[in-house]
Amino acid sequence: MDTRELHTPCTIVPPYLLVRLAKLDDPRFAQAAAAARASLLRDSQIRELRGGAHPFPYSGARPLPARTPGESDRTISDAGGQERLPGRRVRAEGAPAGSDQAVNEAYDGLGATQNLFWTQFGRDSIDGNGLPMDATVHYGKQYDNAFWDGERMVFGDGDGQVFTRFTISPSVIGHELTHGVTQFTANLNYQGQSGAINESISDVFGALVEQHLKNQSTAEASWLIGEGLFTDQVEGVALRSMKAPGTAYNDDVLGKDPQPDTMAGYVETEDDNGGVHLNSGIPNRAFYLVADALGGNAWETPGHIWYDTLTGGALTSTSDFAAFAAATTDTAARLYGTGGAAHDAVMRAWATVGVVAAIPSPVPQQPAPPAPPSRPGVPPPPE
């Protein structure tokens, strides 16, 4: 697959939420409204600037160092409120923590993401080949977003009224870096259903980064994306809920979380790249249902199914929900046996969210094929 595709920067805050904030006519939130308007303009300019192809392989300013596979190679830069990247380098791999919370959170979040992908899936950084992980904090003035621009993570500080700093949530950092993993693998088009799958995969692994970091089981985890981003001036727990899409916020300022949780609520729209942040709630809930049915740690069996589907070549850049459901079902059967608990959980999840027509009858169980040899740094998929 040619990965030299045009890359659309993928922001964590959906444009429809910023549009609502930009239209606020409440003097109490004048600062937030102005910040939202500026952020929307900035996001549109970023999309234009990032219209070129991503340079493969890595062609950053610093050379690739000699390293042991699986080791992190992080650099954090500080934009100092400007909109120029990368900014001033303030922390390199192995340097001690300083007094800047955003720098420390970005550094730790990049490390947590590397740790999940290496220890659980044998993936060495975003590209699978040790790509340095770079981030910039304090981007812009009161910038209400964070994004992966095709080469680095970029974090705003928020407006202070609705949003706080965007480094505060490990799920946000994991989400955005997973856009890079998708870029280097299935390269799903950021439009319509393929774009919603792209967003959902980032939510899935963003949640898994946070759960793995906190050693949380499926039952213990919040399944929230962006928990802690909202200030206490608004009524919202996070940007999205994977467990219950459509319930993450309900507030006079924010409005009501518009994500559907089944195909019955699928949103047809030309906005938001065809509803990528909206309709991602449907595959998000499917993943949660699989994890809930199987129990234990979601990064194990469910995570292996989703990761192997993303990286195994079954998806095309234009795969839709039906194709993704079929691919994850086939992966579950291949890894864990036709008719086994994992295979059944995946089929039932896609039926529950309405991507397939009905919950299928039980499939006679067939044993899983022998596990492939372990990849470096990762055990075989759990039984």
Side-chain angles (χ1 to χ4, degrees):
M1 177 179 61
D2 184 2
T3 50
R4 293 178 181 267
E5 299 287 339
L6 297 184
H7 175 73
T8 301
C10 307
T11 56
I12 191 71
V13 178
Y16 55 78
L17 183 52
L18 290 177
V19 167
R20 180 180 175 89
L21 294 176
K23 293 179 179 178
L24 285 175
D25 187 19
D26 184 335
R28 296 174 302 164
F29 291 95
Q31 180 174 303
R37 289 192 291 270
S39 297
L40 283 166
L41 177 61
R42 193 172 294 119
D43 290 347
S44 67
Q45 292 170 339
I46 291 166
R47 283 191 290 272
E48 292 173 3
L49 289 172
R50 292 299 305 160
H54 183 282
F56 290 92
Y58 178 73
S59 62
R62 59 193 175 99
L64 286 171
R67 57 187 290 279
T68 301
E71 287 185 348
S72 294
D73 181 16
R74 295 163 284 182
T75 296
I76 312 299
S77 300
D78 183 350
Q82 303 299 309
E83 296 176 18
R84 292 191 294 269
L85 295 173
R88 178 175 60 91
R89 188 179 303 177
V90 291
R91 189 174 180 187
E93 184 64 43
S99 60
D100 189 320
Q101 284 182 301
V103 171
N104 296 336
E105 288 165 346
Y107 183 89
D108 292 344
L110 267 60
T113 304
Q114 165 74 358
N115 184 259
L116 172 79
F117 277 104
W118 174 250
T119 64
Q120 301 305 311
F121 311 116
R123 186 175 191 83
D124 189 4
S125 189
I126 294 166
D127 67 340
N129 197 34
L131 183 76
M133 298 175 75
D134 298 332
T136 295
V137 299
H138 305 309
Y139 178 81
K141 297 290 187 183
Q142 299 182 346
Y143 178 51
D144 277 341
N145 230 322
F147 60 90
W148 163 257
D149 76 345
E151 293 183 339
R152 68 175 45 247
M153 275 294 311
V154 182
F155 300 95
D157 290 324
D159 54 62
Q161 289 190 318
V162 172
F163 290 108
T164 186
R165 63 187 184 278
F166 280 81
T167 54
I168 200 169
S169 170
S171 64
V172 167
I173 298 173
H175 171 106
E176 291 299 331
L177 289 172
T178 301
H179 279 305
V181 176
T182 298
Q183 174 187 331
F184 279 90
T185 54
N187 205 26
L188 291 157
N189 288 350
Y190 202 64
Q191 180 72 35
Q193 289 194 8
S194 62
I197 297 167
N198 191 322
E199 271 297 312
S200 176
I201 287 170
S202 277
D203 277 354
V204 164
F205 288 98
L208 295 185
V209 165
E210 185 161 316
Q211 291 172 25
H212 188 253
L213 175 65
K214 297 178 178 179
N215 196 27
Q216 293 175 329
S217 68
T218 291
E220 293 167 335
S222 71
W223 292 96
L224 297 173
I225 303 300
E227 186 174 15
L229 282 183
F230 291 131
T231 72
D232 58 8
Q233 297 184 57
V234 294
E235 295 292 331
V237 293
L239 291 173
R240 292 182 286 281
S241 169
M242 296 183 65
K243 181 177 181 178
T247 67
Y249 54 86
N250 190 356
D251 179 74
D252 289 343
V253 173
L254 300 172
K256 186 182 184 305
D257 179 359
Q259 271 205 318
D261 61 357
T262 70
M263 289 299 291
Y266 186 88
V267 180
E268 295 283 358
T269 179
E270 294 183 0
D271 295 332
D272 185 29
N273 290 85
V276 297
H277 290 92
L278 290 166
N279 296 315
S280 59
I282 298 167
N284 275 2
R285 185 163 179 244
F287 182 85
Y288 167 76
L289 290 172
V290 173
D292 184 55
L294 297 176
N297 297 319
W299 61 81
E300 293 178 347
T301 299
H304 276 277
I305 294 169
W306 256 243
Y307 179 79
D308 278 37
T309 299
L310 175 65
T311 62
L315 302 178
T316 70
S317 62
T318 58
S319 289
D320 60 11
F321 286 179
F324 189 60
T328 53
T329 301
D330 289 346
T331 301
R334 175 173 53 81
L335 292 180
Y336 302 106
T338 301
H343 186 213
D344 182 69
V346 172
M347 290 192 296
R348 288 178 178 275
W350 289 116
T352 300
V353 301
V355 171
V356 300
I359 296 175
S361 300
V363 177
Q365 185 168 2
Q366 300 176 19
S374 297
R375 291 168 286 189
V378 63
E383 297 296 333

